[in-house]
């Protein structure tokens, strides 16, 4: 009797561990990237209603689940390599917390359900989710090994997020906003590559082969170009977006935010994980909060 009870407890603990592992496979900490879907709502202040908030929230969840399916596929394919890595060995599949076959079946089922829900919600949003999934799978297996194109693919993923947010609430984006999104995403991708290159130093080839094609000097030149282009593009967006010209008052916040991030990259060797920087660096977090509050206040007063 005691043995039977002990087996039941062990079985329950094992099931809980598997469920926890499956959730970890989705990497919820990475979901902050998908908050960009709310940008359409932020810049369409007059469209903020209960139904648009709910639609964007549901879209955020579905987009995050689709992205999580990509992570599951990556972890499944790289499970043997991850077991040899000092930190990746603790991932659910590599550590043995989740059976590889179970993880793959879970990912396939979740992808089918998420895409079906996305198409029912909005056919165009469903198409964007499919494109995003295929783009990320292509990145994982091919594009991340191609110099320059690897960073541009990351930027394309953020542009798709921005477009998806607009599709969910049926509002168009100005070309300048999409350009700003692309450039800011490139800025973050370049910072990520620079951080990897700095941390790995002469051991680049054993980690990510594409890093052999980059140098600190080259990435710094890229960042100089992209930083300048982003600030100019955002400034033009505030003047030409057919919204209130008072958006120009948010330009200093954008400049400070980018300069602060450059400071963290060059002086603190950070930038490898933008989502961590957002929550761990108080000046960056405060700047983002002030930016959102400023945009909402400007639209509320001047429109």
């Amino acid at each position: 009797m005691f043995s039977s009870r002990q087996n039941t407890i062990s079985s329950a603990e094992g099931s809980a561990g598997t469920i926890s592992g499956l959730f970890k496979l989705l990497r919820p900490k990475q979901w902050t990237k998908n908050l960009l879907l709310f940008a359409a709502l932020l810049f369409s202040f007059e469209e903020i209603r209960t139904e648009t908030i709910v639609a964007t929230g549901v879209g955020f969840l579905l987009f995050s689940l689709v992205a999580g399916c990509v992570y599951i596929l990556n972890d499944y394919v790289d499970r043997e390599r991850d077991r040899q890595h000092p930190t990746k060995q603790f991932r659910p599949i590599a550590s043995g917390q989740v059976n590889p076959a179970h993880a793959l079946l879970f990912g396939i089922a979740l992808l089918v359900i998420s895409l079906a829900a996305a198409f029912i919600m909005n056919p165009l949003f469903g198409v964007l989710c499919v494109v995003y999934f295929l783009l990320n799978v292509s990145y994982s297996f091919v594009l991340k090994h191609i110099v320059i194109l690897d960073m541009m693919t990351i930027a394309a993923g953020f542009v798709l997020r921005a477009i998806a947010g607009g599709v969910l609430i049926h509002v168009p984006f100005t070309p300048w906003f999409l350009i700003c999104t692309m450039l800011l995403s490139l800025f973050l991708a370049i910072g990520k590559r620079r951080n990897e290159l700095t941390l790995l130093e002469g051991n680049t080839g054993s980690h990510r082969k594409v890093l052999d094609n980059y140098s600190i000097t080259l990435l710094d030149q890229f960042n100089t170009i992209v930083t300048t282009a982003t600030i100019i593009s955002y400034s033009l967006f505030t003047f030409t977006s057919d919204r209130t010209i008072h958006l120009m008052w948010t330009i200093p916040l954008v400049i400070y935010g980018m300069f602060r991030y450059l400071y963290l990259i060059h002086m603190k060797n950070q930038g490898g994980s933008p989502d961590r920087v957002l929550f761990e660096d108080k000046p960056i977090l405060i700047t983002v909060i002030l930016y959102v509050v400023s945009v909402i206040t400007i639209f509320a007063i001047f429109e």
Side-chain angles (χ1 to χ4, degrees):
M1 182 177 177
F2 178 77
S3 177
S4 176
R5 182 180 178 184
Q6 189 176 40
N7 289 337
T8 301
I9 294 174
S10 298
S11 178
E13 289 177 348
S15 298
T18 299
I19 294 173
S20 173
L22 290 174
F23 183 69
K24 288 179 182 177
L25 280 173
L26 299 175
R27 300 188 197 175
K29 291 181 179 180
Q30 300 286 340
W31 292 6
T32 52
K33 301 173 184 176
N34 300 321
L35 289 173
L36 187 58
L37 270 77
F38 286 90
L41 205 56
L42 178 63
F43 287 99
S44 302
F45 186 75
E46 70 282 357
E47 296 292 333
I48 296 180
R49 301 185 299 274
T50 301
E51 56 268 30
T52 56
I53 294 174
V54 171
T56 304
V58 174
F60 165 81
L61 177 61
L62 292 175
F63 213 91
S64 298
L65 293 178
V66 171
C69 292
V70 179
Y71 294 134
I72 292 174
L73 180 61
N74 288 342
D75 287 359
Y76 175 81
V77 173
D78 296 335
R79 61 189 184 280
E80 295 299 334
R81 190 182 310 161
D82 287 349
R83 289 186 181 119
Q84 310 302 320
H85 194 277
T87 56
K88 293 181 181 180
Q89 63 175 316
F90 299 110
R91 288 179 176 177
I93 296 178
S95 66
Q97 183 180 3
V98 177
N99 182 287
H102 294 168
L104 189 60
L105 288 174
F106 171 71
I108 293 172
L110 185 63
L111 179 64
V112 171
I113 294 172
S114 299
L115 290 179
F119 273 101
I120 293 172
M121 184 178 181
N122 186 311
L124 184 53
F125 176 67
V127 170
L128 288 172
C129 286
V130 172
V131 172
Y132 177 81
F133 177 78
L134 294 177
L135 178 69
N136 277 270
V137 171
S138 299
Y139 172 81
S140 298
F141 292 99
V142 179
L143 299 177
K144 72 178 182 181
H145 303 298
I146 303 177
V147 65
I148 299 177
L149 196 57
D150 62 324
M151 296 186 296
M152 295 188 71
T153 304
I154 294 174
F158 281 94
V159 173
L160 286 174
R161 289 177 174 93
I163 295 174
V167 166
L168 285 169
I169 60 173
H170 307 286
V171 296
F173 269 124
T174 65
W176 281 116
F177 181 80
L178 294 179
I179 290 173
C180 289
T181 302
M182 180 190 70
L183 290 171
L184 184 59
S185 304
L186 273 175
F187 173 77
L188 296 175
I190 293 168
K192 181 178 176 65
R193 286 291 180 267
R194 191 187 190 282
N195 178 260
E196 292 173 340
L197 202 59
T198 302
L199 293 178
L200 295 167
E201 297 179 341
N203 196 31
T204 57
S206 63
H207 178 71
R208 193 189 292 271
K209 201 65 179 176
V210 73
L211 292 177
D212 289 336
N213 299 296
Y214 290 115
S215 70
I216 297 295
T217 302
L218 177 64
L219 292 173
D220 285 345
Q221 289 179 334
F222 285 166
N223 243 343
T224 299
I225 295 170
V226 171
T227 300
T228 305
T230 302
I231 294 173
I232 293 174
S233 297
Y234 182 77
S235 300
L236 288 171
F237 163 70
T238 63
F239 287 102
T240 62
S241 63
D242 295 327
R243 307 304 299 265
T244 173
I245 198 172
H246 290 282
L247 272 177
M248 63 178 286
W249 298 113
T250 62
I251 294 175
L253 291 173
V254 172
I255 294 175
Y256 173 79
M258 296 191 72
F259 283 5
R260 173 69 186 181
Y261 200 83
L262 284 172
Y263 165 76
L264 294 175
I265 291 173
H266 288 268
M267 305 304 295
K268 301 294 184 179
N269 289 328
Q270 297 181 20
S273 181
D275 52 306
R276 287 185 59 187
V277 171
L278 174 63
F279 290 105
E280 293 180 2
D281 186 73
K282 289 184 179 179
I284 288 284
L285 181 59
I286 291 173
T287 301
V288 171
I289 293 173
L290 285 175
Y291 177 81
V292 172
V293 171
S294 297
V295 170
I296 294 174
T297 303
I298 288 170
F299 284 153
I301 294 177
F302 298 104
E303 287 202 348

